[in-house]
Amino acid sequence: SNGMERNFTYPHAWRYRDYVISSFNKDKPYDQFVREQLAGDLLTDEEAPGTDRIERSTATGFLALGPKILNERDKETFRMEMVDEQIDATSRAVLGLTVSCARCHDHKFDPIAMSDYYALAGIFTSTRTLYGTSGGGGNRQASELMPLGEESEELEARRKAHQKKRATSQTRLGQVTKQVQNLKRQSGKNPKGKKAGAAKRMEEMQEEMADLRKRVSTLRKNAPPRPAYAMGVAEADSPSDCAIRLRGDPKKRGPEVARGYLQVVHVAEAPAVPESASGRRELATWMTSEDNPLAARVMVNRIWHHLFGTGIVRTVDNFGKMGEAPVHPELLDHLALRFL
């Protein structure tokens, strides 16, 4: 569930859980596993062998499952908080770095600049997050879900068109019902000449009200089939770079930062982020490159921690200055190379 002040459930979270279990059971290559979770909706069959489009899209639930301040009124504040959670989860999980500490200022301990944080933030602000909690009940930030399957777009279009028809009819029914009630209240006050006209108008409106009730009932009974849904992400309509938020305040904007990666983790020939895309595919490639010194070490350390109860680096989520040094760095390097 969402957690935080408005703890809405995530009834479609099981699809991501099943994806993770399936990936381990298949012994899926770890670099592919990470790429699918960050950019599965953008990958081809050749880039993610052994998976289909539905599985790859479901993998991006990783970016949609985090806690959100659903009762937040301001959309920009909500968006930047959600992006911060995505940066934090991604950087800790894959790189063992606390990149979110650079949201309001340069990182106090690790060589991560504030501009690096917003280079990553631009990638996630250029992404639509589909987590699927409905409005009401204190949720001011409702969201759609991601439809799945080859016919999903057609089914989703039919569903939305049907919802629009039903909403239009229900709105009109409410208006007519209110007008009928007003006419009834006024009928006793009208002189005889006006009463005849009001009665005719009343009869017409009651006929329309009966027709609208039948239409709403028919639409309710004949709703088109829905596609299967999952939590996940998709590309924004207009990807763009993100401006630095001064002291982390969403309303106080500084200069824009080109979308990109952490400068301290140098990857030779890292792919540039295209103007027309979010950059999630390129971020996933940079993170899982053999030139990236962190991803393999972080994962083998997690496996060691799982098997023996304590990692070679005890702080499994933090390989930075405030984390603990590896008790046996040569063993960690050896395992990372074998893992690659």
Side-chain angles (χ1 to χ4, degrees):
S1 64
N2 180 73
M4 303 191 76
E5 298 90 345
R6 292 293 182 268
N7 189 22
F8 281 68
T9 56
Y10 287 152
H12 297 269
W14 64 270
R15 290 190 187 276
Y16 175 74
R17 175 202 62 194
D18 284 6
Y19 160 79
V20 173
I21 294 169
S22 172
S23 295
F24 274 86
N25 287 343
K26 289 179 181 178
D27 198 21
K28 182 179 292 180
Y30 180 66
D31 55 346
Q32 180 181 333
F33 182 57
V34 172
R35 287 198 304 271
E36 288 173 358
Q37 290 176 85
L38 296 181
D41 57 312
L42 306 174
L43 301 179
T44 64
D45 291 344
E46 291 71 26
E47 291 172 311
T51 63
D52 58 26
R53 186 178 173 187
I54 290 178
E55 186 176 357
R56 295 194 296 271
S57 296
T58 302
T60 64
F62 170 74
L63 294 172
L65 279 163
K68 300 168 184 64
I69 49 172
L70 295 174
N71 61 333
E72 173 59 52
R73 294 177 184 274
D74 186 76
K75 287 190 178 295
E76 185 64 10
T77 298
F78 175 80
R79 181 172 75 146
M80 295 310 296
E81 288 292 329
M82 183 167 63
V83 164
D84 182 68
E85 195 280 330
Q86 289 169 330
I87 291 173
D88 190 44
T90 301
S91 62
R92 285 177 187 267
V94 183
L95 302 177
L97 293 177
T98 55
V99 176
S100 280
C101 292
R103 179 182 181 179
C104 307
H105 47 70
D106 291 347
H107 201 296
K108 295 292 186 184
F109 306 103
D110 299 336
I112 301 171
M114 194 175 177
S115 56
D116 283 359
Y117 175 92
Y118 287 96
L120 292 175
I123 293 172
F124 293 110
T125 57
S126 298
T127 299
R128 289 188 300 126
T129 305
L130 307 168
Y131 47 91
T133 58
S134 57
N139 180 12
R140 298 187 176 99
Q141 303 294 340
S143 164
E144 295 182 340
L145 287 163
M146 178 172 56
L148 300 172
E150 292 181 4
E151 299 179 358
S152 62
E153 291 183 9
E154 181 185 344
L155 289 172
E156 187 70 354
R158 284 170 56 193
R159 184 188 71 83
K160 286 183 177 179
H162 181 272
Q163 276 188 329
K164 189 175 180 181
K165 282 183 186 177
R166 183 174 162 183
T168 301
S169 297
Q170 285 179 320
T171 300
R172 179 58 185 159
L173 177 60
Q175 292 169 346
V176 173
T177 302
K178 192 173 182 179
Q179 288 170 358
V180 168
Q181 290 170 346
N182 288 339
L183 280 172
K184 284 179 179 177
R185 281 194 294 269
Q186 293 169 7
S187 61
K189 303 175 185 178
N190 291 334
K192 287 183 179 180
K194 285 190 175 181
K195 277 185 181 180
K200 186 177 180 183
R201 176 67 180 145
M202 174 85 76
E203 186 179 344
E204 290 172 353
M205 296 189 75
Q206 284 178 329
E207 286 179 6
E208 184 182 1
M209 191 164 64
D211 288 341
L212 284 165
R213 281 176 176 160
K214 286 179 183 176
R215 189 185 307 171
V216 169
S217 178
T218 301
L219 286 168
R220 187 181 291 118
K221 291 175 184 176
N222 296 290
R226 292 170 169 247
Y229 292 105
M231 300 172 72
V233 299
E235 293 288 85
D237 294 333
S238 302
S240 59
D241 296 333
C242 183
I244 287 177
R245 297 328 198 245
L246 303 177
R247 295 188 178 181
D249 187 336
K251 305 294 179 62
K252 296 179 180 178
R253 301 198 175 196
E256 284 193 349
V257 179
R259 281 165 285 159
Y261 324 116
L262 303 181
Q263 298 301 305
V264 70
V265 182
H266 177 70
V267 172
E269 301 180 4
V273 175
E275 287 186 15
S276 59
S278 65
R280 283 184 291 116
R281 181 203 294 260
E282 291 71 27
L283 174 64
T285 300
W286 169 81
M287 277 193 164
T288 57
S289 167
E290 290 193 6
D291 290 335
N292 189 317
L294 287 169
R297 287 183 173 92
V298 168
M299 188 56 184
V300 297
N301 188 62
R302 290 190 186 283
I303 295 166
W304 190 276
H305 176 271
H306 177 73
L307 292 174
F308 297 108
T310 304
I312 299 170
V313 177
R314 291 172 62 92
T315 51
V316 292
D317 288 334
N318 192 352
F319 274 46
K321 182 71 174 176
M322 295 304 288
E324 294 192 26
V327 295
H328 200 318
E330 295 85 356
L331 175 59
L332 184 64
D333 289 352
H334 169 72
L335 294 172
L337 289 170
R338 284 189 60 188
F339 189 57
L340 286 171

